Amino acid sequence: MKKLVLLRDFEHKAVTLSKRKPLSLERENRKKLLHSAEEQRRFEASEQLLINFLETEFSLKNAEICGKVSEKPYLPGQNISFSKSYCDETLCLAAESGSKIGVDAENLKQPDYAVADVFFTEKEKAYINDSENKELSFYVIWTRKESYMKCVGEGMHFRFDFLDVTPQKKSNISGKLFPENDCAGGLYLNSYLLGDKVISVCSETNDDFPKFIEK
């Protein structure tokens, strides 16, 4: 069962948590690689909220998150996959028991369409060009590729231009964008438009993708 949550003003929410858990050595080392104190603070906040999310939704008390820079983060001894993505002051968290999962979020803004020439397939570029809302279509494609990469645990060396994630159905205007999941590279995808955020989730299972719980 997938659990999805959208946390606005997430740094403030992290500060107000009743209890905080020290990061594992691997995650602490991951934090130290970030360039600025602000980036490190945001990373720490997202990790603390993820630990709280895992306790609330999966009854995992004081979950220990592990994972080096080149690894997909994981929970030792637990068959629960999780993923996180943040943009501005919004944090997206996704987790699933017994199946890998990945999530990515982006703000709707003017895209750099030159990116499509490098990372998108011809079918994906045609989907964007034929769309009535090119900005939305661009970020649906981009977040799907990112969420796939996070689901399988690949780094930025992943060949985005080899993976086609073009939606097969006409989209809704908000909320969960597509009535049925799309399949790409053996995994399943769906996308959401929540306010000014485009969010895509990738999973190994083809069950219903629930709406994000907003907090």
Side-chain angles (χ1 to χ4, degrees):
M1 178 67 178
K2 296 175 179 64
K3 302 284 187 178
L4 312 175
V5 67
L6 190 72
L7 297 161
R8 303 188 189 277
D9 196 16
F10 76 93
E11 288 189 74
H12 175 73
K13 286 182 170 65
V15 169
T16 59
L17 286 175
S18 59
K19 56 183 178 180
R20 299 170 68 85
K21 177 180 171 59
L23 301 185
S24 67
L25 179 60
E26 290 180 349
R27 301 307 281 169
E28 187 66 37
N29 289 337
R30 174 69 182 87
K31 184 183 79 171
K32 290 177 181 177
L33 291 177
L34 298 171
H35 297 299
S36 69
E38 178 183 2
E39 289 176 309
Q40 291 184 11
R41 189 185 68 244
R42 288 165 65 82
F43 179 86
E44 170 84 23
S46 69
E47 294 280 296
Q48 293 294 337
L49 287 167
L50 175 57
I51 291 169
N52 186 67
F53 169 64
L54 292 168
E55 178 173 348
T56 301
E57 299 297 333
F58 293 91
S59 301
L60 293 179
K61 294 187 180 298
N62 297 316
E64 181 181 16
I65 301 170
C66 295
K68 301 175 184 177
V69 177
S70 58
E71 290 182 303
K72 178 179 172 63
Y74 65 95
L75 299 167
Q78 300 288 339
N79 192 20
I80 295 173
S81 175
F82 58 87
S83 182
K84 64 180 181 176
S85 180
Y86 48 79
C87 53
D88 294 336
E89 291 306 312
T90 299
L91 173 68
C92 298
L93 299 174
E96 187 168 14
S97 179
S99 176
K100 291 181 181 178
I101 198 167
V103 66
D104 189 63
E106 295 286 345
N107 286 324
L108 265 181
K109 56 184 182 292
Q110 179 63 31
D112 179 3
Y113 289 109
V115 169
D117 292 330
V118 179
F119 294 108
F120 293 3
T121 68
E122 292 302 318
K123 186 177 179 181
E124 290 166 344
K125 286 185 280 188
Y127 172 78
I128 294 168
N129 291 333
D130 294 341
S131 172
E132 295 179 0
N133 189 335
K134 290 182 173 56
E135 289 183 5
L136 175 60
S137 296
F138 177 93
Y139 285 110
V140 164
I141 297 295
W142 181 255
T143 57
R144 284 178 170 220
K145 287 178 180 286
E146 287 276 1
S147 68
Y148 185 99
M149 178 189 75
K150 292 180 180 181
C151 185
V152 299
E154 294 283 352
M156 284 306 293
H157 62 275
F158 183 80
R159 289 297 303 273
F160 276 11
D161 55 328
F162 280 22
L163 174 72
D164 190 278
V165 296
T166 307
Q168 302 302 307
K169 303 289 184 181
K170 184 177 176 63
S171 70
N172 299 316
I173 59 173
S174 65
K176 188 170 72 171
L177 288 174
F178 303 96
E180 297 177 7
N181 303 331
D182 288 302
C183 182
L187 301 179
Y188 298 93
L189 297 145
N190 216 316
S191 304
Y192 301 78
L193 177 60
L194 301 177
D196 63 346
K197 303 285 188 293
V198 181
I199 305 164
S200 289
V201 182
C202 180
S203 170
E204 291 182 306
T205 55
N206 189 25
D207 58 2
D208 185 44
F209 280 47
K211 182 179 178 180
F212 274 83
I213 302 169
E214 298 190 50
K215 296 183 178 181

